[in-house]
Amino acid sequence: MYVVTDKGVVMFDTPWDPAQFQPLLDSIRLKHNKSVVMCIATHFHEDRTAGLAYYRQQGIETYTTKQTDELSKKNGKKRAGFLIDKDTVFKVGQYSFQTYY
């Protein structure tokens, strides 16, 4: 799932197949003429976190909760660049997203 804003795209979770990491970015760019600027992983399973390291390398800000990060670390899964450790409001373009910790 993703949301298109006037400042870029916010993606929720990542594909689990490495062969889909870049094609998803390309598809979003082609369809909306926007880059993905943020990705929020909702839990530690690979179907949510597998692409985090790849997207970080592409300059995309990646986020997950502190609890998800602890489980990712414990289970050898990819980890986000930024941790959410309290209720947080993200403002991207004309939209706000609130996470509840």
Side-chain angles (χ1 to χ4, degrees):
M1 178 171 78
Y2 61 85
V3 177
V4 179
T5 79
D6 56 11
K7 298 294 183 186
V9 174
V10 177
M11 191 165 58
F12 296 91
D13 299 322
T14 77
W16 56 90
D17 180 354
Q20 294 302 312
F21 298 165
Q22 188 61 48
L24 178 58
L25 297 179
D26 294 343
S27 175
I28 290 170
R29 165 69 85 184
L30 185 63
K31 185 172 185 170
H32 305 287
N33 197 30
K34 304 259 184 206
S35 296
V36 174
V37 296
M38 178 186 292
C39 179
I40 301 173
T42 60
H43 71 267
F44 81 95
H45 292 132
E46 206 162 327
D47 61 335
R48 304 297 183 244
T49 61
L52 289 175
Y54 181 83
Y55 292 138
R56 284 175 59 194
Q57 290 174 341
Q58 303 306 307
I60 298 168
E61 292 183 357
T62 57
Y63 292 83
T64 196
T65 64
K66 186 176 175 184
Q67 181 180 16
T68 294
D69 183 65
E70 290 169 3
L71 290 167
S72 293
K73 184 177 178 181
K74 178 181 174 184
N75 291 282
K77 304 299 180 191
K78 302 297 183 195
R79 298 170 67 198
F82 300 97
L83 300 183
I84 303 165
D85 63 357
K86 62 184 177 197
D87 293 354
T88 304
V89 175
F90 294 95
K91 174 107 170 94
V92 181
Q94 72 275 37
Y95 296 110
S96 294
F97 307 90
Q98 185 164 5
T99 60
Y100 297 95
Y101 188 72

